[in-house]
Amino acid sequence: MEWIRAFVRRYPWGALGAAVLFLIFGDLTASILWEMLSGVGAYFALMITLVVLISSMIILYDLRHSLLRIYANPQIGCSERYQGVLLFLSEPSIGRIPIVSIEIGDNKVSLNYRINGKENTKEIDLDSNIKNFIERISQDSTLRMWNWLPAFQGLAAHASRLKYIAVLCSEETQDFQDQIRHLLSVLFSKSNIEIIEKLNFFDVNSIREGLGKAVRKGLQLGLRKRDLVIDVTGGTKLASIGGVIYGVEEGVDIQYVQTKDPSVLICYNIFPRLLDVPS
């Protein structure tokens, strides 16, 4: 029943209320008929009661299925385009090799790293097109291992509507916050960029606190919770778990970039967002 699914998406509270009212109305109608009629009429009332109960079960089953399909099941590629993305960034590295420094010029990004004490540099042409930037990285077998690449891929999916980016930095990543802000300001010149620093990616409470600050900033910018998504690809596994827990509790959607080649963006619409009445 597509019309039920469409109704649930547009009016979730109304759909739940309608289902409850339908049950109450059917029960009252059957009870009144049962009292008023006797003999053959009583059997007629019994038949009406059974029809109402069966219809109610069918509608409630489809309502449940629609709610789960819309608000809980993962969507490949993210059908929605969010206006705010909250993401984790760990200390930059190429594979297991730490990046020593990042230099950003007018039209070039330089990643400097050491292998066996020898200085190495990888350069990437830079312009304001995020898709071109990702493509240049992906064409280089070494740069493809840059651990920030999934963050860029997660942002690119929402580039057309993106107004707010919150970067949650670990204690190690904060040394690169100026480069992060500079790079994102070039790639997303129309977006507000917020750096949430000095988070402990091995402490769920620290993660929750950082996400709380990021969400509050988004709300101050006029966005609603339904306009935000938490990208749990970066950071540590514990940071990702903390991000999912926060999203479930606060009704903020989740996304994850599957890093196997080819990369795939997966979005999870969190069911508790039904409780987020103001949004």
Side-chain angles (χ1 to χ4, degrees):
M1 296 185 182
E2 272 311 312
W3 67 271
I4 291 181
R5 193 165 294 120
F7 184 70
V8 170
R9 180 181 289 277
R10 189 169 180 82
Y11 306 107
W13 278 112
L16 290 173
V20 172
L21 289 175
F22 185 81
L23 280 173
I24 294 173
F25 176 78
D27 183 62
L28 289 175
T29 302
S31 299
I32 292 171
L33 288 174
W34 185 266
E35 292 293 332
M36 292 176 59
L37 302 175
S38 60
V40 177
Y43 289 105
F44 178 69
L46 178 62
M47 292 299 296
I48 292 178
T49 303
L50 289 175
V51 169
V52 170
L53 288 174
I54 292 172
S55 300
S56 300
M57 292 300 295
I58 293 173
I59 290 176
L60 286 173
Y61 175 81
D62 197 77
L63 177 63
R64 173 185 176 276
H65 177 74
S66 299
L67 286 169
L68 290 176
R69 179 173 177 179
I70 293 170
Y71 291 100
N73 283 0
Q75 299 177 6
I76 305 298
C78 270
S79 59
E80 295 190 41
R81 293 293 179 264
Y82 295 93
Q83 297 181 58
V85 176
L86 287 54
L87 58 90
F88 302 102
L89 276 187
S90 295
E91 186 177 10
S93 65
I94 296 177
R96 295 180 179 276
I97 302 170
I99 291 175
V100 178
S101 64
I102 299 175
E103 299 172 6
I104 303 175
D106 293 334
N107 55 6
K108 199 175 293 292
V109 177
S110 299
L111 307 182
N112 304 309
Y113 58 98
R114 290 192 187 96
I115 299 179
N116 297 326
K118 183 180 178 181
E119 295 281 349
N120 290 268
T121 300
K122 280 287 182 179
E123 294 185 338
I124 313 161
D125 290 337
L126 177 64
D127 57 36
S128 59
N129 190 313
I130 179 64
K131 292 184 179 179
N132 289 344
F133 186 68
I134 291 172
E135 185 176 351
R136 293 181 189 117
I137 296 172
S138 301
Q139 289 172 350
D140 188 295
S141 59
T142 300
L143 288 174
R144 276 203 301 267
M145 295 187 290
W146 186 15
N147 64 337
W148 287 6
L149 174 58
F152 299 130
Q153 292 169 327
L155 291 170
H158 313 288
S160 61
R161 296 191 65 199
L162 202 55
K163 296 179 179 178
Y164 171 55
I165 302 171
V167 182
L168 288 83
C169 294
S170 66
E171 295 172 344
E172 296 78 18
T173 319
Q174 66 180 354
D175 294 336
F176 294 88
Q177 61 176 298
D178 291 339
Q179 291 90 334
I180 294 169
R181 188 183 296 277
H182 187 173
L183 182 56
L184 292 179
S185 66
V186 173
L187 296 171
F188 302 96
S189 58
K190 296 181 180 179
S191 299
N192 286 281
I193 299 166
E194 182 76 10
I195 305 293
I196 311 295
E197 58 183 33
K198 294 185 178 180
L199 298 183
N200 184 349
F201 280 4
F202 295 94
D203 182 353
V204 173
N205 289 328
S206 179
I207 297 302
R208 287 166 57 90
E209 182 180 344
L211 286 170
K213 289 180 181 177
V215 169
R216 287 193 294 274
K217 178 63 176 179
L219 298 179
Q220 290 171 7
L221 293 171
L223 302 180
R224 301 163 298 177
K225 285 185 179 180
R226 68 173 61 178
D227 299 321
L228 304 174
V229 66
I230 302 172
D231 191 320
V232 297
T233 314
T236 62
K237 290 182 173 60
L238 191 58
S240 298
I241 293 170
V244 172
I245 292 173
Y246 182 91
V248 171
E249 289 180 344
E250 298 296 327
V252 181
D253 289 349
I254 304 296
Q255 74 174 29
Y256 175 79
V257 178
Q258 184 174 293
T259 53
K260 293 181 180 178
D261 194 24
S263 63
V264 176
L265 179 64
I266 304 173
C267 286
Y268 296 85
N269 298 114
I270 302 300
F271 185 84
R273 74 189 250 181
L274 285 171
L275 304 177
D276 185 21
V277 180
S279 67

